[in-house]
Amino acid sequence: MEGTAEPVVYQKLLLWEPSLESEEEEKEEEEETSEALVPNPWRPQDSSGNEAGGLPGTWARLVAALLLLAVGCSLAVRQLQHQGSPTESLGSAAPPPGGHSHGPGVYHHGAIISPAATCSHLGRELLVAGGNVVDAGVGGALCLAVVHPHATGLGAMFWGLFHNSSSGNSTALTPGPAQTLAPGVALPAALPTLHLLHARFGRLPWPRLLVGPTTLAQEGFLVDTPLARALAARGTEGLCPLLCHPDGTPLGAGARATNPQLAAVLRRAALAPTSDFAEDALLSLLVRDLGLEVPSAGPRPTLEPAQQLPMAQGILFTTPSPSAGPELLALLEAALRSGAPSPDPCPPVMQTAVSPESSTLATVDSSGSVLLLTSSLSGSFDSAYLSPGTGVLLSNTTAKSTATAWACPLILRGSLDDTETNVLGLVASGSPEMARAMTHTILSHLAEPQTQAQHQHQGQQEATEQPSTCGQGTLLQVAAYAEHAHVSSVPHGCPYQGI
């Protein structure tokens, strides 16, 4: 069921128009006056600048034309320089004269980081369109459901953690227990889970979030390196024709894939007014595909207060059981009491020889609002049952019924007395090794607070060290620090976008 609590007022982002980005940076640093530097050439003026008779006919038109030409050339050169910046995708273009620049992954307003460049770009578009971090995160997650079917999708289980800077509250998104649709196949819950999150905290209309993912599914997307590697490792059994060449071989990196059946599902979901209708957009087609009856209603996804651990430096938040969040908090608390890092941040019983395939995504704005999303099919392509009528890969209930060690997102809200550091968010995918990295990152952050210069220096180092592909075994980090949004990954390789 939908949450009945009063909606939380979300702080509005102050967005730039992209075409005016460089002008806005100059205004911030040089405190330029808003008075026009060039008089209106279509209004006659006297020599003192007051509107009067001005220059006679031909000379007035000549001067006006020259002024317009000069201004037009100046704007054209500036636009070309902005578009041609080799670091534009990293948000670190060369500073204007007298202005300032930022290291990679540092933005004035908001940012998103995900395993796919296409989805990071889509999330940025939603931010620019006036959306908040929930809009960008949910839109990015739906995009990943299209372009990364090996790790996530509409058949995946989603957990989320949202910190609202306006209210100071942190909310956990829980999917509810896995339910069986057919033997060995789980009931998909991604659409109602994401719709619930958006309905409570999003700003843009729900259909707006599905425009980009629907277009990608219908018109095609390029297979990226993580998907190509997963296909090469697993093979294409059960995945054709969606991810295969006509001869049955798997698509390689750079090949174009389409999923028109999934596009149709997303179009139906865009019309859903509630989470129940969003679920039915897929479920009604699935039961027809499998020749089943519609299952009776079971436990629903929920929004509930996040688990928390108060400390002198602030408060830690995470997701409740059966995610690994509570155990992660307990181990962090033990480490803080003993003064030594815990060697096993996720419970030993949850560590398995084979790590589940999972996907992560994070969004942040400069006011300190953060959304962390993590999802999993339990294994690469999991059940590998591709529903012909929907283009959706379904998950295996046997694997999903175990404890979800892949789900332990963590948010640290700093002390209200600290005017520099606001919020830090961490979300890991893959193996327990990355969860250990998350714990050590938090402990290091608490032991040695960073200055803004240190934070930017680390971001610049990350951009040049340890290149890798974003995917399995990745830690995403986002922060609101000194009124800027920061995004990074360990190891480096997850594409990000910001404004």
Side-chain angles (χ1 to χ4, degrees):
M1 295 180 62
E2 299 277 344
T4 58
E6 290 294 324
V8 178
V9 177
Y10 191 90
Q11 180 173 330
K12 182 175 178 63
L13 291 173
L14 299 177
L15 301 178
W16 292 341
E17 290 293 332
S19 63
L20 300 180
E21 183 172 347
S22 58
E23 287 92 338
E24 289 294 327
E25 290 184 358
E26 290 179 347
K27 289 177 184 177
E28 179 179 326
E29 288 301 313
E30 298 176 6
E31 300 181 356
E32 291 180 354
T33 176
S34 59
E35 180 180 351
L37 298 180
V38 179
N40 188 337
W42 306 114
R43 302 173 66 179
Q45 299 182 353
D46 62 21
S47 59
S48 64
N50 297 323
E51 296 176 11
L55 295 173
T58 303
W59 284 106
R61 288 193 293 272
L62 179 60
V63 170
L66 290 174
L67 285 172
L68 283 175
L69 180 62
V71 172
C73 290
S74 175
L75 291 175
V77 170
R78 178 173 292 178
Q79 181 69 11
L80 288 172
Q81 289 174 340
H82 176 70
Q83 293 178 348
S85 171
T87 57
E88 181 180 1
S89 63
L90 297 179
S92 57
H100 70 282
S101 63
H102 297 299
V106 183
Y107 299 93
H108 278 281
H109 297 298
I112 176 172
I113 184 167
S114 80
T118 297
C119 300
S120 295
H121 182 74
L122 184 147
R124 180 189 184 278
E125 288 182 342
L126 293 172
L127 289 173
V128 171
N132 58 28
V133 296
V134 172
D135 296 314
V138 172
L142 291 168
C143 172
L144 289 171
V146 176
V147 305
H148 274 187
H150 63 294
T152 185
L154 299 190
M157 176 181 285
F158 276 82
W159 288 82
L161 188 61
F162 171 56
H163 178 74
N164 190 322
S165 64
S166 298
S167 65
N169 296 327
S170 290
T171 303
L173 172 69
T174 66
Q179 301 175 65
T180 299
L181 177 62
V185 175
L187 182 71
L191 279 174
T193 303
L194 294 174
H195 189 284
L196 175 64
L197 177 66
H198 173 266
R200 179 70 179 276
F201 298 113
R203 178 185 296 149
L204 295 176
W206 167 252
R208 175 67 179 83
L209 274 58
L210 282 89
V211 170
T214 303
T215 302
L216 287 169
Q218 182 66 48
E219 299 182 3
F221 59 93
L222 296 181
V223 174
D224 61 8
T225 301
L227 176 55
R229 288 180 177 176
L231 281 168
R234 186 201 170 279
T236 59
E237 182 181 357
L239 303 179
C240 293
L242 178 62
L243 298 170
C244 309
H245 291 293
D247 61 1
T249 57
L251 297 179
R256 180 170 291 274
T258 60
N259 195 337
Q261 290 78 19
L262 179 57
V265 171
L266 293 173
R267 280 192 289 269
R268 285 166 55 97
L271 304 177
T274 67
S275 297
D276 289 340
F277 280 96
E279 180 180 42
D280 186 64
L282 173 59
L283 185 57
S284 59
L285 296 175
L286 276 177
V287 295
R288 186 176 65 188
D289 241 9
L290 297 170
L292 303 172
E293 295 183 0
V294 177
S296 57
R300 310 294 299 161
T302 61
L303 292 168
E304 55 189 86
Q307 299 280 301
Q308 58 181 278
L309 173 64
M311 305 176 301
Q313 301 93 330
I315 304 178
L316 284 167
F317 298 97
T318 190
T319 47
S321 181
S323 78
E327 289 82 2
L328 181 58
L329 285 188
L331 289 162
L332 280 167
E333 184 177 19
L336 290 169
R337 282 201 308 264
S338 66
S342 169
D344 296 308
C346 277
V349 294
M350 294 186 178
Q351 297 181 15
T352 57
V354 179
S355 300
E357 186 81 24
S358 58
S359 180
T360 54
L361 175 148
T363 57
V364 61
D365 68 25
S366 57
S367 72
S369 288
V370 171
L371 174 65
L372 308 175
L373 286 174
T374 180
S375 59
S376 178
L377 287 167
S378 300
S380 184
F381 300 104
D382 202 24
S383 69
Y385 177 78
L386 177 62
S387 164
T390 66
V392 173
L393 279 160
L394 299 177
S395 184
N396 189 316
T397 50
T398 303
K400 288 180 68 173
S401 62
T402 61
T404 49
W406 48 269
C408 46
L410 198 65
I411 288 177
L412 170 63
R413 187 187 71 191
S415 170
L416 297 179
D417 297 331
D418 188 342
T419 59
E420 287 286 306
T421 302
N422 299 318
V423 174
L424 174 69
L426 300 172
V427 59
S429 66
S431 64
E433 286 73 16
M434 293 314 301
R436 280 195 284 272
M438 179 192 298
T439 300
H440 290 305
T441 299
I442 284 287
L443 293 174
S444 299
H445 178 86
L446 295 174
E448 189 175 352
Q450 296 176 330
T451 65
Q452 184 179 15
Q454 287 174 327
H455 194 101
Q456 290 191 9
H457 176 65
Q458 287 189 352
Q460 291 167 346
Q461 281 186 322
E462 181 201 344
T464 57
E465 295 176 0
Q466 297 182 322
S468 70
T469 299
C470 179
Q472 191 74 344
T474 299
L475 173 65
L476 304 185
Q477 176 174 310
V478 297
Y481 186 87
E483 299 181 349
H484 288 77
H486 299 247
V487 290
S488 59
S489 65
V490 179
H492 173 67
C494 283
Y496 47 80
Q497 287 279 331
I499 56 175

